Amino acid sequence: TFFNFPNLISYTLPITSFFGAILALLSLIRNSETIAIGGMGISNFKSMMPAIILYFMIGITFITIANPIISIFDDKYSDLKYEYVDKVDKFASITKNGLWLKQSNNKNDLNSLLYGKRTENQGKILYNFMMMEYENNGAFSGRIDGKKAELRDGYWEMFEIQITPKYGETTYQNFLKYETNIKPGDISDGLSSPSTISIWRLMTFINFLEDLGYSAVDYKMHLYELISLPFFISSLVFLAFSLVKGLKQNDKASKAVISSLVIIFFL
């Protein structure tokens, strides 16, 4: 809960900003300050500018300072969730050098690490791959290198491969069907979620994901959401003002509050 809570701020910030603007404007109306401001010849737009600038700066501060801290917390939360809730290991890891997959083969009772220098189709196709096989006690068993590997239902189809056992001579095969416990969805699920990567690292991460041939749509969407956040919460000031601008000092605010709840729900 401690590690997951900061990530909720990104979802609640627009809502709290919106109702903060509503309450501030209602307070100005109740205290007749809007009448005084209008009497001084200050337009509605000018009277909103301090709030708009304030919310914009809050958004900038959030994505530049708070977001990197939140991403660290969310990464820790993700690790704990895998360990204690899902109770599985992460199958996949992406580095600047390629995609690494952890898998097991029940047929020959071996575990292995599979590395692909370049990928396609969300990691389901690997090019210039290398697989290191290990026994259950961790002892090295052998190595398989190949040009291409395609993930099917419960097995890899490997093409133009070189098999190098721990003891014995190297052999070559044009095709090999290799059993695996990895499912197509496990590769995407095993990668770091966008919220665990700070805005300062997102662009670099997106670039090398695409260089590997992996789709970075989710990470791009997260980046766009972060960049648009200051503009979004600033625009909510306009929305809040439009809902309460017609109220007078002695009017009931219940209608405006109910309208605000309905609109923010759909937003």
CSV table of all heavy atoms in Angstrom, one decimal, residues 177-199:
chain,number,residue,atom,x,y,z
A,177,LYS,N,12.0,-27.7,-33.0
A,177,LYS,CA,10.8,-27.4,-32.1
A,177,LYS,C,11.2,-27.5,-30.7
A,177,LYS,O,11.5,-28.6,-30.2
A,177,LYS,CB,9.6,-28.2,-32.5
A,177,LYS,CG,8.4,-27.8,-31.8
A,177,LYS,CD,7.2,-28.8,-32.1
A,177,LYS,CE,6.7,-28.6,-33.5
A,177,LYS,NZ,5.5,-29.4,-33.7
A,178,TYR,N,11.3,-26.4,-30.0
A,178,TYR,CA,11.7,-26.4,-28.6
A,178,TYR,C,10.6,-26.0,-27.6
A,178,TYR,O,10.0,-24.9,-27.7
A,178,TYR,CB,12.9,-25.4,-28.4
A,178,TYR,CG,13.6,-25.4,-27.1
A,178,TYR,CD1,14.8,-26.3,-27.0
A,178,TYR,CD2,13.2,-24.7,-26.0
A,178,TYR,CE1,15.5,-26.4,-25.8
A,178,TYR,CE2,13.9,-24.8,-24.8
A,178,TYR,CZ,15.0,-25.6,-24.7
A,178,TYR,OH,15.7,-25.7,-23.5
A,179,GLU,N,10.3,-26.9,-26.7
A,179,GLU,CA,9.2,-26.7,-25.8
A,179,GLU,C,9.5,-25.6,-24.8
A,179,GLU,O,10.6,-25.4,-24.3
A,179,GLU,CB,8.9,-28.0,-25.0
A,179,GLU,CG,7.7,-28.0,-24.1
A,179,GLU,CD,7.4,-29.3,-23.5
A,179,GLU,OE1,7.4,-30.3,-24.2
A,179,GLU,OE2,7.1,-29.3,-22.3
A,180,THR,N,8.5,-24.8,-24.4
A,180,THR,CA,8.6,-23.7,-23.5
A,180,THR,C,7.4,-23.5,-22.7
A,180,THR,O,6.3,-23.9,-23.1
A,180,THR,CB,9.0,-22.4,-24.2
A,180,THR,OG1,9.2,-21.4,-23.2
A,180,THR,CG2,7.9,-22.0,-25.2
A,181,ASN,N,7.5,-22.9,-21.5
A,181,ASN,CA,6.4,-22.6,-20.7
A,181,ASN,C,5.9,-21.2,-20.9
A,181,ASN,O,4.9,-20.7,-20.3
A,181,ASN,CB,6.7,-22.8,-19.2
A,181,ASN,CG,7.7,-21.8,-18.7
A,181,ASN,OD1,8.7,-21.5,-19.4
A,181,ASN,ND2,7.6,-21.4,-17.4
A,182,ILE,N,6.6,-20.4,-21.7
A,182,ILE,CA,6.2,-19.0,-22.0
A,182,ILE,C,5.0,-19.0,-23.0
A,182,ILE,O,5.0,-19.7,-24.0
A,182,ILE,CB,7.4,-18.3,-22.6
A,182,ILE,CG1,8.5,-18.1,-21.5
A,182,ILE,CG2,6.9,-16.9,-23.1
A,182,ILE,CD1,9.7,-17.3,-22.0
A,183,LYS,N,4.0,-18.1,-22.6
A,183,LYS,CA,2.9,-17.9,-23.5
A,183,LYS,C,3.1,-16.5,-24.1
A,183,LYS,O,3.8,-15.6,-23.6
A,183,LYS,CB,1.6,-17.9,-22.7
A,183,LYS,CG,1.3,-19.3,-22.1
A,183,LYS,CD,0.0,-19.3,-21.3
A,183,LYS,CE,-0.3,-20.6,-20.7
A,183,LYS,NZ,0.7,-21.0,-19.7
A,184,PRO,N,2.5,-16.2,-25.3
A,184,PRO,CA,2.7,-14.9,-25.9
A,184,PRO,C,2.4,-13.7,-25.0
A,184,PRO,O,3.1,-12.8,-25.1
A,184,PRO,CB,1.7,-15.0,-27.1
A,184,PRO,CG,1.5,-16.4,-27.4
A,184,PRO,CD,1.7,-17.2,-26.1
A,185,GLY,N,1.4,-13.8,-24.2
A,185,GLY,CA,1.0,-12.7,-23.3
A,185,GLY,C,2.0,-12.5,-22.2
A,185,GLY,O,2.1,-11.4,-21.6
A,186,ASP,N,2.8,-13.5,-21.8
A,186,ASP,CA,3.7,-13.4,-20.7
A,186,ASP,C,4.8,-12.4,-21.0
A,186,ASP,O,5.4,-11.8,-20.1
A,186,ASP,CB,4.3,-14.8,-20.4
A,186,ASP,CG,3.3,-15.8,-19.9
A,186,ASP,OD1,2.3,-15.3,-19.3
A,186,ASP,OD2,3.5,-17.0,-20.0
A,187,ILE,N,5.2,-12.3,-22.3
A,187,ILE,CA,6.3,-11.4,-22.7
A,187,ILE,C,5.9,-10.0,-22.4
A,187,ILE,O,6.7,-9.2,-21.8
A,187,ILE,CB,6.7,-11.6,-24.1
A,187,ILE,CG1,7.2,-13.1,-24.4
A,187,ILE,CG2,7.8,-10.6,-24.5
A,187,ILE,CD1,7.5,-13.4,-25.8
A,188,SER,N,4.7,-9.6,-22.8
A,188,SER,CA,4.3,-8.2,-22.6
A,188,SER,C,4.0,-8.0,-21.1
A,188,SER,O,4.4,-6.9,-20.6
A,188,SER,CB,3.0,-7.9,-23.4
A,188,SER,OG,3.2,-8.0,-24.8
A,189,ASP,N,3.4,-8.9,-20.4
A,189,ASP,CA,3.1,-8.8,-19.0
A,189,ASP,C,4.4,-8.7,-18.2
A,189,ASP,O,4.4,-8.1,-17.1
A,189,ASP,CB,2.3,-9.9,-18.5
A,189,ASP,CG,0.9,-10.0,-19.2
A,189,ASP,OD1,0.5,-8.9,-19.7
A,189,ASP,OD2,0.3,-11.0,-19.2
A,190,GLY,N,5.5,-9.3,-18.6
A,190,GLY,CA,6.7,-9.4,-17.9
A,190,GLY,C,7.5,-8.1,-18.0
A,190,GLY,O,8.5,-7.9,-17.2
A,191,LEU,N,7.2,-7.3,-19.0
A,191,LEU,CA,8.0,-6.0,-19.2
A,191,LEU,C,7.6,-5.0,-18.1
A,191,LEU,O,6.5,-5.0,-17.6
A,191,LEU,CB,7.8,-5.5,-20.6
A,191,LEU,CG,8.3,-6.4,-21.7
A,191,LEU,CD1,8.0,-5.7,-23.1
A,191,LEU,CD2,9.8,-6.7,-21.6
A,192,SER,N,8.5,-4.0,-17.9
A,192,SER,CA,8.2,-3.0,-17.0
A,192,SER,C,7.0,-2.2,-17.5
A,192,SER,O,6.9,-1.8,-18.6
A,192,SER,CB,9.4,-2.0,-16.8
A,192,SER,OG,10.5,-2.7,-16.3
A,193,SER,N,6.1,-1.8,-16.6
A,193,SER,CA,4.9,-1.0,-16.9
A,193,SER,C,5.3,0.4,-17.2
A,193,SER,O,6.3,0.8,-16.6
A,193,SER,CB,3.8,-1.1,-15.9
A,193,SER,OG,4.3,-0.5,-14.7
A,194,PRO,N,4.6,1.2,-18.0
A,194,PRO,CA,5.0,2.5,-18.3
A,194,PRO,C,5.2,3.4,-17.0
A,194,PRO,O,6.0,4.3,-16.9
A,194,PRO,CB,3.9,3.1,-19.2
A,194,PRO,CG,3.4,1.8,-19.8
A,194,PRO,CD,3.5,0.7,-18.8
A,195,SER,N,4.3,3.1,-16.0
A,195,SER,CA,4.3,4.0,-14.8
A,195,SER,C,5.6,3.8,-13.9
A,195,SER,O,5.9,4.6,-13.0
A,195,SER,CB,3.1,3.7,-13.9
A,195,SER,OG,3.0,2.3,-13.6
A,196,THR,N,6.4,2.7,-14.2
A,196,THR,CA,7.6,2.5,-13.5
A,196,THR,C,8.8,3.2,-14.1
A,196,THR,O,9.9,3.0,-13.6
A,196,THR,CB,7.9,1.0,-13.4
A,196,THR,OG1,8.1,0.4,-14.7
A,196,THR,CG2,6.7,0.2,-12.7
A,197,ILE,N,8.6,3.9,-15.2
A,197,ILE,CA,9.7,4.6,-15.9
A,197,ILE,C,9.4,6.1,-15.8
A,197,ILE,O,8.4,6.6,-16.2
A,197,ILE,CB,9.8,4.1,-17.3
A,197,ILE,CG1,10.0,2.6,-17.4
A,197,ILE,CG2,10.9,4.8,-18.0
A,197,ILE,CD1,9.9,2.0,-18.8
A,198,SER,N,10.4,6.8,-15.3
A,198,SER,CA,10.2,8.3,-15.2
A,198,SER,C,10.2,9.0,-16.5
A,198,SER,O,10.7,8.4,-17.5
A,198,SER,CB,11.3,8.8,-14.3
A,198,SER,OG,12.6,8.9,-15.0
A,199,ILE,N,9.7,10.2,-16.5
A,199,ILE,CA,9.6,10.9,-17.8
A,199,ILE,C,10.9,11.2,-18.4
A,199,ILE,O,11.1,11.3,-19.6
A,199,ILE,CB,8.8,12.2,-17.5
A,199,ILE,CG1,8.4,12.9,-18.9
A,199,ILE,CG2,9.6,13.2,-16.6
A,199,ILE,CD1,7.5,14.1,-18.8
